[in-house]
């Protein structure tokens, strides 16, 4: 078996890291919220607002999600650049076409999350935190607005994880051999 070209190895590594960062940030939230609730923290700055445990866990999870989001964008860009390099020399084969389509789907989901949904949720969360600190009655409406976006974000993150896992599994497969016949087939 011939060794994988560098670009192919780089795509595989970037996708594995991208999926790892995504899963780790989700795990952080899955651990932070249930762990914080029984601690029943009291946050004097948010005295007028209930559910201090949710605010405390959310503040931690939001920082992790922000850092993870930047890392995921960087890894998505690295994946796309290395994929382009790989495809410029790869055999025309159904496997490479499927890899490309799944990687594009993952990049699209990441782009929607990072540039549309998460910024809107972050604006709503920041407004909620400000309103909650100021004991503004608008805090409850802002919390509901954030909560309304949460299921969509969770579904997109879950979908992205599935797409990245499928993509990773296809990248684990050996690259198709580059032959004249394979290069004559349509992408």
């Amino acid at each position: 078996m011939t060794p994988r070209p560098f670009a192919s190895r780089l795509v595989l590594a970037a996708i594995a890291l991208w999926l790892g960062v995504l899963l780790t940030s989700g795990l952080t939230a899955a651990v932070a919220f249930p762990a914080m609730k029984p601690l029943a923290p009291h946050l004097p700055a948010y005295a007028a607002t209930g559910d201090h445990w949710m605010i405390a866990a959310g503040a931690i999870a939001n920082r992790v999600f922000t850092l993870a989001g930047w890392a995921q964008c960087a890894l998505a860009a690295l994946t796309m650049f290395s994929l382009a390099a790989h495809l410029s020399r790869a055999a025309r084969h159904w496997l490479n076409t499927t890899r490309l389509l799944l990687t594009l789907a993952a990049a699209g989901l990441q782009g929607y999350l990072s540039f549309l949904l998460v910024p809107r949720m972050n604006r709503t969360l920041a407004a909620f935190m400000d309103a909650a600190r100021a004991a503004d009655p608008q805090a409850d409406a802002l919390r509901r607005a954030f909560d309304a976006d949460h299921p969509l974000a969770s579904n997109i993150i879950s979908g992205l994880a599935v797409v990245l896992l499928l993509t990773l599994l296809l990248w684990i497969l050996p690259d198709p051999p580059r032959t004249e016949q394979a290069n004559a087939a349509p992408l």
Side-chain angles (χ1 to χ4, degrees):
M1 188 161 100
T2 60
R4 265 183 198 266
F6 178 74
S8 178
R9 288 180 287 160
L10 190 56
V11 174
L12 179 59
I15 290 171
L17 288 170
W18 184 2
L19 178 60
V21 169
L22 179 72
L23 294 176
T24 301
S25 63
L27 182 62
T28 299
V31 169
F33 285 92
M36 191 66 72
K37 189 173 185 177
L39 295 175
H42 176 70
L43 307 174
Y46 298 95
T49 305
D51 296 333
H52 289 193
W53 67 271
M54 195 175 292
I55 292 171
I60 293 165
N62 188 49
R63 286 193 178 147
V64 170
F65 282 139
T66 298
L67 294 171
W70 285 107
Q72 288 171 243
C73 284
L75 290 164
L78 177 61
T79 299
M80 296 309 294
F81 285 122
S82 51
L83 176 64
H86 167 76
L87 291 177
S88 71
R89 298 184 185 273
R92 292 183 181 198
H93 191 274
W94 70 266
L95 180 59
N96 282 325
T97 301
T98 307
R99 288 170 168 175
L100 171 65
L101 293 174
L102 284 171
T103 304
L104 288 172
L109 289 170
Q110 185 67 56
Y112 178 75
L113 271 174
S114 296
F115 300 111
L116 296 172
L117 184 58
V118 169
R120 179 175 76 212
M121 291 179 75
N122 283 343
R123 285 190 301 274
T124 304
L125 181 61
F128 163 73
M129 298 293 273
D130 291 344
R133 258 192 310 274
D136 185 334
Q138 189 118 25
D140 285 335
L142 290 164
R143 181 191 303 239
R144 285 190 303 276
F146 179 85
D147 289 345
D149 277 338
H150 197 272
L152 176 61
S154 293
N155 288 336
I156 291 173
I157 290 168
S158 296
L160 177 57
V162 168
V163 170
L164 285 171
L165 180 61
L166 290 172
T167 306
L168 182 63
L169 292 174
L170 289 179
W171 277 98
I172 290 171
L173 297 174
D175 288 332
R178 186 174 165 89
T179 64
E180 291 308 313
Q181 184 179 8
N183 287 329
L187 264 179

